[in-house]
Amino acid sequence: MVSGEQITLFALDCGATNWRLYRAGYRRDGSALRILGDPQPSPLTSFTERKLPAALTLSPDGASIESIGEVAQMQLEDETARARVREYFKPCIGAHLQANPLPHQQRYTHTQALDYTRLMLVAVLEQIRREKWRASAFDARLRFALAYPVHWRDEHEGVLYTEFQALAHSCFPEELHPYLRFVAEPEGAILSLKHQGLLRPLGESDAASVTLIVDVGGSSSDIIAGRLDPHSGELLILGRYGRPFGGGLYDAALASYLADEMGIPGAALADDPAALTTLRVFGRRLKEALSRALLQNAGGEASAQRTLTLVLRGGEIYRQLIKLDQATFERVAGHLNQNFENLIANALSTIGLADGEIGQVALVGGGAQLYSIVHHLWDRFGAEKIVLADNPDEIVVRGVALEYGAQMGMIRPGASLVIETPERADPVPDAESTSGPVWQLITPDGQVYSLEEGTTKVGRARAAQIWLDSEKVSRAHAEIQRRGDTLAVTDLGSTNGTFVNGERLQADMPHLLNSGDAIRFGDREYSVGIE
């Protein structure tokens, strides 16, 4: 890569229930690689609440895709299209290699699951090209990084990893294959947690010196145990344990409960088996709402309710107000809570650890937001040891976006893994000691805003460092990142846009600034200067 060249990296976490997309900008400074701001979510039009539902609708002939994401998920409620919707296909990848696959892993064949993943990935890449990349085709200025479950590489001689890698390569022209990156999910989680300062080094002499990372996804869970070196930042991996357990099992249990509550005969569901998919989505929404309420109201009572309507293929309509409280959830899914408790116990036993050796537990993944999982870890290890990051379901994809700069090795038992954020790998002098330029934003009437080292928020919100009192400016409009002598601006999806020299910036994409550039936030104009 040529010095000074800017690279855009798109990171994808292709989960069982939702996919996530992040974007990061990098620049080569001599022999060093510098990240331009923190990785940011990069939603597409088919996303909902920063999540891309892992759902697609096949065309009537079944040969191509009619829709993906939120649109496809909405078609689950259309009895005429529901049978063409495919979702939750990731758990079936590799199920043919297991002696006793669970029922949710047998829904599709291994080949079908790979084919649906390929169809959806192709559709997502085309949306990225149209919505996020103005060039007519992808080129060498781009990198793509994809997360994968670590057991795909560890088990069955790495067959699943090899097949997933071949699948991804088939979606890109051959000349771009060198620019594809593949990152194990726990590796991404560790890097993201370290980058956010959420993992604290524990002295090896301490009785509780082990860090436990619990990654609960939609269809599988991984537990990684290791020790963080307080001096080098290395993580010595002590062991890993993974099993096909995830939040999707709760959704399936709730789907059966909803069918009973709504009085839907088993024979009717047998005639319209795709209707169970809709009930599972209904169950997931109720589960998530109940968990949010219980975690916000610790120790108190809470419930979630929703009016559900299901139209079967034969035209029968079932509609009912369903209320889900903690007691009902425990009655319906309590056996799964016990399965999670067994998962943690078996992981510690397999790795060879006692509870007293655990100094901190980082909980990540979509299932991390399920109240019963959080409560069990609180009870077992102590609430003060549990690290629950904001948006834990985005931890992996954030780390995947950081991996390009961190240049980490593969995780395996006994491996020594150096965690270096781009800032540590290429340190910037403190603002007080730097002799570099002092960047400024200057208004047309001469008012000057000095830009300090780090991130400066721009917007109509009172908390913004540069507060702009204008209806044309969004509350969180943009942010400016200063890293030493480098200055970049990122539009945060503002309504009226951020413009540099008259050109509107793509949302969530850092743009390098030079002295003399004209910059506009909505209707507020500035010039970039150096003192």
Side-chain angles (χ1 to χ4, degrees), residues 197-446:
L198 295 176
L199 295 184
R200 54 190 174 89
L202 303 168
E204 191 170 350
S205 59
D206 296 339
S209 62
V210 175
T211 293
L212 201 67
I213 298 174
V214 180
D215 183 359
V216 183
S219 62
S220 62
S221 296
D222 275 307
I223 292 92
I224 300 286
R227 284 193 175 92
L228 279 169
D229 188 287
H231 305 293
S232 67
E234 293 184 359
L235 181 71
L236 175 65
I237 305 298
L238 302 176
R240 180 196 69 82
Y241 185 85
R243 284 294 180 270
F245 172 91
L249 296 178
Y250 290 89
D251 304 338
L254 289 169
S256 298
Y257 161 73
L258 293 177
D260 292 340
E261 286 294 296
M262 297 173 73
I264 305 174
L269 288 175
D271 291 336
D272 188 0
L276 275 173
T277 299
T278 310
L279 291 174
R280 185 167 60 245
V281 172
F282 288 160
R284 182 189 312 152
R285 292 169 181 167
L286 282 168
K287 175 195 72 179
E288 292 172 350
L290 176 64
S291 289
R292 284 194 298 270
L294 286 170
L295 290 174
Q296 291 170 2
N297 185 27
E301 296 183 0
S303 64
Q305 63 181 30
R306 184 184 292 252
T307 298
L308 307 181
T309 301
L310 180 66
V311 182
L312 295 181
R313 189 169 55 191
E316 305 94 333
I317 300 175
Y318 294 88
R319 181 181 290 111
Q320 188 168 333
L321 174 66
I322 300 292
K323 181 178 179 180
L324 182 66
D325 55 25
Q326 184 176 357
T328 303
F329 182 86
E330 298 290 344
R331 175 171 57 82
V332 171
H335 64 290
L336 296 173
N337 294 337
Q338 184 60 55
N339 289 351
F340 176 74
E341 295 176 17
N342 293 341
L343 175 76
I344 297 298
N346 292 338
L348 295 182
S349 175
T350 300
I351 298 172
L353 293 170
D355 286 16
E357 297 178 79
I358 307 301
Q360 59 188 339
V361 180
L363 184 55
V364 302
Q369 301 177 86
L370 182 59
Y371 81 90
S372 58
I373 286 177
V374 176
H375 286 176
H376 172 64
L377 295 177
W378 281 351
D379 293 341
R380 178 158 191 159
F381 300 107
E384 72 283 355
K385 293 184 179 181
I386 309 304
V387 178
L388 182 59
D390 292 336
N391 301 317
D393 44 351
E394 298 183 9
I395 289 293
V396 167
V397 71
R398 281 179 53 90
V400 172
L402 291 165
E403 186 271 349
Y404 180 52
Q407 301 175 349
M408 298 191 304
M410 188 179 75
I411 289 182
R412 57 189 181 277
S416 182
L417 181 64
V418 178
I419 307 295
E420 290 186 342
T421 67
E423 288 78 9
R424 278 191 57 189
D426 183 18
V428 175
D430 293 337
E432 293 181 357
S433 62
T434 182
S435 58
V438 177
W439 289 96
Q440 300 173 331
L441 285 189
I442 307 169
T443 66
D445 60 4

Side-chain angles (χ1 to χ4, degrees), residues 25-296:
Y26 287 90
R27 192 186 70 156
R28 175 71 70 184
D29 281 345
S31 60
L33 191 66
R34 186 188 299 276
I35 188 169
L36 305 174
D38 289 332
Q40 297 290 334
S42 191
L44 303 172
T45 54
S46 40
F47 275 59
T48 174
E49 298 178 353
R50 293 160 60 136
K51 300 178 291 187
L52 174 64
L56 58 89
T57 305
L58 298 174
S59 58
D61 62 6
S64 60
I65 287 183
E66 183 177 276
S67 63
I68 66 169
E70 185 177 15
V71 174
Q73 193 172 67
M74 290 173 61
Q75 288 182 297
L76 285 170
E77 299 180 34
D78 178 0
E79 72 280 6
T80 64
R82 187 163 52 224
R84 294 189 283 115
V85 177
R86 302 290 183 268
E87 54 87 60
Y88 203 61
F89 35 83
K90 183 180 180 181
C92 301
I93 295 178
H96 65 300
L97 298 174
Q98 299 185 35
N100 297 297
L102 298 172
H104 70 286
Q105 297 177 290
Q106 303 175 50
R107 186 171 173 197
Y108 308 105
T109 67
H110 168 72
T111 300
Q112 285 175 324
L114 286 177
D115 285 344
Y116 297 147
T117 302
R118 180 183 292 105
L119 285 172
M120 187 156 170
L121 180 56
V122 168
V124 168
L125 292 175
E126 175 59 20
Q127 275 199 275
I128 292 174
R129 187 191 66 78
R130 286 189 287 105
E131 298 181 24
K132 305 296 184 183
W133 191 250
R134 295 181 180 178
S136 58
F138 295 145
D139 55 42
R141 294 172 294 166
L142 276 175
R143 300 291 185 274
F144 285 88
L146 288 85
Y148 66 90
V150 69
H151 67 268
W152 283 4
R153 193 158 192 165
D154 288 350
E155 299 172 357
H156 308 294
E157 299 181 342
V159 169
L160 296 182
Y161 172 74
T162 301
E163 291 191 0
F164 179 68
Q165 191 177 50
L167 178 157
H169 282 153
S170 72
C171 299
F172 291 87
E174 187 172 352
E175 60 269 22
L176 291 184
H177 289 184
Y179 305 127
L180 302 186
R181 309 179 67 81
F182 299 89
V183 183
E185 291 171 357
E187 184 175 308
I190 292 168
L191 182 57
S192 182
L193 291 167
K194 277 284 294 176
H195 183 78
Q196 296 180 65
L198 295 176
L199 295 184
R200 54 190 174 89
L202 303 168
E204 191 170 350
S205 59
D206 296 339
S209 62
V210 175
T211 293
L212 201 67
I213 298 174
V214 180
D215 183 359
V216 183
S219 62
S220 62
S221 296
D222 275 307
I223 292 92
I224 300 286
R227 284 193 175 92
L228 279 169
D229 188 287
H231 305 293
S232 67
E234 293 184 359
L235 181 71
L236 175 65
I237 305 298
L238 302 176
R240 180 196 69 82
Y241 185 85
R243 284 294 180 270
F245 172 91
L249 296 178
Y250 290 89
D251 304 338
L254 289 169
S256 298
Y257 161 73
L258 293 177
D260 292 340
E261 286 294 296
M262 297 173 73
I264 305 174
L269 288 175
D271 291 336
D272 188 0
L276 275 173
T277 299
T278 310
L279 291 174
R280 185 167 60 245
V281 172
F282 288 160
R284 182 189 312 152
R285 292 169 181 167
L286 282 168
K287 175 195 72 179
E288 292 172 350
L290 176 64
S291 289
R292 284 194 298 270
L294 286 170
L295 290 174
Q296 291 170 2

